[in-house]
């Protein structure tokens, strides 16, 4: 029996005793906690999809019956599309969660631009807390205001950056337009998340600007799952997470090296998500590191949801939006990425005789409210232009 087997056995027993949602899921599967004695036995528990999680939360608000601690002990509560109310949990190993930041050398003396959003979603505040826990000083800029960010970066001598790599590209491009060369940019450490970190971006940041960088993979429900390290393919998995790679149809674990859905089990007993299907595709190596797990990479999505600017857009959200407008016959979202920026276009087909006046503004406002996603353009298309059997979200982005 390994240490991870012990942790999983204890987690399942604790969750069954204290999380009604877990008890219900296991009872429905005809499972008793004693049948889960370690990692190999996790496969007996059905995979919990995001859609199912949304339904469970909706039927038993606000935390779906997964929270095992007193809600009054929660420091913060966030919201993600669903809606799902995500509790910020007291960390069981706070020092271990700082690994991505310490890997790039964040510490006392660093001033770090935190360009993640601070309201509603957890990224901004959680990264703020981690940066400060490393001894560094946070500059809480949030996203946008590029000229102001450059001024603050320069005036304050900011040595660190956390945010999306595409935003740092935009910031450096704007700085270069003002005549600021690489040698005048004080940034030397960067942690990215919420979108792919491409080889060309890495070559620019690390080669031209001399930064040490890492890219963290995570979700709103799970937090950080892993982070990249030099000389290691893919992601080093955080000690608070246990991963399996599973058949998207059956949920059965796949052999090492094969691509399947990334299924995660959180080891924090306060909010145990056991066998949670992320919808992302990945693979585990045949020979994992001796001190943890490694994810070889992210290879797309097994489900229909697509991540845009760090937020997931799901076809169900589009269906709900269409129901708000009786003049809409069908709609489809097309996502492109010119100049390192996600562009969201909604194509709308109207019912015969319907008028589309004011529809673009209403749809955009609804998307902002439901998915916290800005719509760049709404096009009214001719009858029959949208195939009713086609995917409702078409991702045409290319990542070099």
């Amino acid at each position: 029996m390994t240490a991870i087997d012990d942790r999983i056995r204890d987690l399942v027993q604790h969750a069954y005793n204290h999380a009604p949602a877990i008890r219900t899921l296991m009872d429905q599967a005809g499972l008793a906690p004693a049948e889960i004695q370690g990692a190999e036995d996790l496969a007996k528990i059905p995979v919990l999809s995001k859609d199912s999680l949304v339904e469970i939360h909706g039927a038993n608000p606000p935390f779906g019956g997964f929270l095992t601690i007193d809600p009054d002990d929660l420091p913060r509560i966030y919201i993600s599309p669903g809606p799902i109310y995500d509790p910020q949990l007291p960390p069981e190993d706070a020092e271990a969660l700082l690994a991505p930041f310490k890997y790039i050398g964040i510490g006392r003396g660093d001033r770090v631009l935190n360009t993640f959003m601070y309201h509603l979603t957890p990224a901004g505040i959680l990264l703020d807390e981690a940066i400060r826990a490393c001894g560094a000083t946070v500059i809480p800029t949030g996203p946008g205001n590029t000229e102001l960010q450059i001024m603050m970066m320069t005036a304050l001598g900011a040595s660190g950056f956390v945010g999306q790599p595409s935003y740092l590209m935009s910031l450096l491009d704007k700085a270069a337009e003002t005549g600021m060369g690489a040698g005048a940019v004080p940034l030397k450490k960067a942690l990215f998340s919420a979108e792919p970190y491409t080889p060309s971006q890495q070559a620019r940041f690390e080669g031209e600007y001399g930064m040490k960088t890492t890219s963290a993979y995570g979700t709103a429900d799970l937090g950080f799952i892993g982070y990249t390290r030099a000389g290691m393919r893919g992601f080093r998995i955080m000690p608070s997470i246990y991963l399996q790679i599973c058949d998207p149809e059956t949920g059965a674990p796949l052999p090492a090296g094969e691509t399947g859905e990334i299924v995660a089990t959180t080891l924090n007993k306060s909010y145990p998500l056991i066998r949670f299907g992320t919808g992302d595709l990945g693979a585990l190596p045949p020979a994992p590191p001796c001190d943890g797990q490694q994810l070889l990479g992210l290879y797309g999505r097994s489900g229909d949801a697509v991540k845009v600017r760090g937020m997931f857009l799901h076809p169900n959200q589009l269906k709900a939006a269409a129901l708000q407008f009786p003049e809409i016959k069908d709609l489809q979202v097309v996502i492109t990425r010119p100049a390192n920026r996600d562009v969201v276009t909604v194509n709308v087909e109207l019912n015969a005789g319907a008028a589309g006046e004011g529809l673009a503004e209403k749809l955009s406002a609804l998307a902002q409210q439901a998915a916290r996603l800005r719509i760049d353009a709404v096009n009214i298309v001719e009858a029959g232009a949208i195939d009713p059997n086609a995917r409702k979200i078409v991702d045409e982005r290319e990542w070099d």
Side-chain angles (χ1 to χ4, degrees):
M1 186 72 69
T2 66
I4 190 64
D5 289 329
D6 290 339
R7 291 188 70 182
I8 288 173
R9 183 187 65 246
D10 293 345
L11 171 79
V12 171
Q13 183 66 67
H14 180 85
Y16 188 86
N17 291 342
H18 300 284
I22 298 296
R23 176 186 288 269
T24 298
L25 291 170
M26 291 185 65
D27 287 347
Q28 289 175 345
L31 287 172
E35 297 177 66
I36 311 299
Q37 290 296 306
E40 291 295 322
D41 294 328
L42 277 177
K44 299 175 183 178
I45 300 175
V47 172
L48 175 65
S49 70
K50 178 73 172 187
D51 285 347
S52 296
L53 186 64
V54 170
E55 292 177 1
I56 293 171
H57 273 250
N60 188 16
F63 304 113
F66 290 94
L67 192 68
T68 68
I69 62 174
D70 189 330
D72 290 342
D73 292 329
L74 296 174
R76 296 183 183 90
I77 300 170
Y78 303 98
I79 185 171
S80 61
I84 287 179
Y85 295 101
D86 293 308
Q88 179 182 334
L89 306 173
E92 294 186 352
D93 188 351
E95 186 66 22
L97 299 180
L98 302 181
F101 303 88
K102 292 192 173 181
Y103 167 70
I104 59 173
I106 295 293
R108 181 175 174 79
D110 285 313
R111 295 169 184 169
V112 183
L113 294 175
N114 184 1
T115 68
F116 280 116
M117 187 166 62
Y118 270 72
H119 67 285
L120 295 178
T121 61
I125 289 180
L126 292 186
L127 269 68
D128 186 300
E129 291 183 343
I131 294 164
R132 291 188 295 115
C134 290
T137 299
V138 181
I139 307 171
T141 61
N145 301 304
T146 303
E147 292 83 358
L148 180 59
Q149 302 241 17
I150 294 172
M151 183 186 74
M152 297 173 70
M153 172 188 74
T154 306
L156 298 174
S159 53
F161 172 96
V162 296
Q164 295 174 305
S166 61
Y167 184 64
L168 181 55
M169 289 283 280
S170 298
L171 190 151
L172 296 178
D173 288 342
K174 180 64 70 173
E177 290 175 8
T178 67
M180 184 183 297
V185 174
L187 300 176
K188 294 304 174 188
K189 307 164 185 181
L191 182 149
F192 306 116
S193 193
E195 67 182 19
Y197 180 31
T198 68
S200 63
Q201 290 171 336
Q202 185 174 10
R204 185 181 186 190
F205 300 149
E206 296 186 353
E208 183 179 349
Y209 287 86
M211 300 181 195
K212 185 168 185 179
T213 69
T214 186
S215 177
Y217 164 49
T219 74
D221 303 295
L222 300 168
F224 277 168
I225 295 172
Y227 64 101
T228 60
R229 299 175 61 97
M232 170 184 275
R233 178 181 170 187
F235 300 88
R236 175 74 164 82
I237 302 307
M238 304 294 286
S240 57
I241 298 286
Y242 180 78
L243 290 189
Q244 298 168 295
I245 301 299
C246 299
D247 184 310
E249 298 297 327
T250 67
L254 296 173
E258 291 193 18
T259 298
E261 182 178 14
I262 299 170
V263 175
T265 294
T266 58
L267 300 175
N268 189 319
K269 293 180 179 179
S270 299
Y271 185 72
L273 292 181
I274 299 174
R275 294 259 288 165
F276 177 70
T278 65
D280 294 319
L281 296 174
L284 298 176
C290 61
D291 58 345
Q293 286 187 297
Q294 175 187 359
L295 179 66
L296 293 177
L298 298 173
Y299 306 139
R301 295 279 300 171
S302 63
D304 295 325
V306 175
K307 184 176 281 189
V308 186
R309 306 186 198 120
M311 301 300 295
F312 277 113
L313 178 63
H314 195 285
N316 286 343
Q317 292 171 309
L318 301 184
K319 294 177 183 177
L323 291 174
Q324 303 294 315
F325 304 98
E327 60 265 49
I328 293 179
K329 179 180 179 181
D330 205 351
L331 55 76
Q332 185 180 59
V333 170
V334 179
I335 306 165
T336 55
R337 190 174 174 80
N340 289 309
R341 175 181 172 272
D342 289 345
V343 173
V344 180
T345 301
V346 180
N347 294 324
V348 179
E349 182 179 342
L350 299 178
N351 285 306
E357 289 83 359
L359 188 60
E361 293 78 7
K362 294 176 183 177
L363 263 179
S364 297
L366 185 63
Q368 183 69 40
Q369 177 184 0
R372 298 198 295 280
L373 185 65
R374 186 184 71 255
I375 302 299
D376 297 285
V378 176
N379 299 326
I380 306 299
V381 300
E382 62 184 15
I386 299 177
D387 182 350
N389 298 315
R391 296 178 69 91
K392 296 305 177 188
I393 304 174
V394 180
D395 191 350
E396 297 181 350
R397 294 173 295 182
E398 294 183 359
W399 309 88
D400 59 359

